[in-house]
Amino acid sequence: MSARPLHPGERAARRAREHWGLAQTQPVRDLLEVAEDREQVPVLIERFDNDRIAGVLLKHGSGESFVAVNADHNPVRQRFTLAHELGHLCMGHQPRVELSSDLFGATRDPQEVEANYFAAELLAPRAAITGWLENQELIADAAAPDTAARLALEFGIAFPAAVYRLERVGAIGPTAKQRLIDELSNRAATLVGRHAPHRLRDTIQTLAEDDRYPRVPKRTLLYASEARAADLLDEQEYEAIVAEQPAVNSADWVS
Ligand SMILES: [Zn+2]
């Protein structure tokens, strides 16, 4: 089995990681921190009350961008949506409303495909997967459901995504891929339970567990405190904006 050729979306994700100062050999520890502090794009996470839309990417005439992620989706999907939007941004694609079917189903739209490959490589870089298999001494067990499940939880990606990544690095072949996807789907609850201690615990995960939505962009909180200092907001208005907003994890958690 050999690795698949790099897709242009994967190549763009590698360049973006370099630009952001992220090692290619690690999962993204906190994607919100990458988006807001490194890419300087504000991110709103809010319930859309419509799970057919995964997110929204807006661009202002000034060149500023804005991303909204649907909190109706679980943290794994939210993370993928945000990574996908960063892909559109980094590859100079047009703003859009994102249909869930383009991110989590089969899409033929070339820009959506590119953004999906970008998201996959950003969240689970090939070098990180092969390094992880070596470190965990799991190369011989790459086709085991437990390996794929643990990989998915540690990198914060969906089970099928973990299987596709294992195939792209050449750790498993096409036959094992299909079998694994079926087995993971049938035994999902057991496997998640068994490997739960390895689950990636980033801000997106914490917000979902505590149901703290809307999660307003960090920049909005900054504007709010400036407005409070200038007496444009009274204490009550200010509290309504900043209440319940957790601090974004510190930068040193991102490797
Ligand atoms: Zn898209």
Side-chain angles (χ1 to χ4, degrees), residues 84 88 96 98 103 112:
H84 175 107
H88 283 312
R96 65 197 67 213
E98 298 284 6
L103 279 77
E112 298 303 351

Side-chain angles (χ1 to χ4, degrees), residues 84-85 88 93 96-99 102-103 111-112 115-116:
H84 175 107
E85 303 314 331
H88 283 312
H93 296 170
R96 65 197 67 213
V97 172
E98 298 284 6
L99 298 179
D102 279 334
L103 279 77
Q111 292 199 341
E112 298 303 351
N116 283 339

Side-chain angles (χ1 to χ4, degrees), residues 47-86:
R47 294 194 181 282
F48 291 8
D49 295 325
N50 180 348
D51 69 3
R52 292 169 62 193
I53 297 172
V56 179
L57 170 62
L58 301 176
K59 283 188 186 175
H60 192 259
S62 65
E64 297 258 308
S65 303
F66 182 89
V67 170
V69 173
N70 190 352
D72 295 339
H73 287 167
N74 65 41
V76 171
R77 285 200 164 191
Q78 289 181 31
R79 207 176 280 124
F80 192 84
T81 300
L82 180 51
H84 175 107
E85 303 314 331
L86 290 174

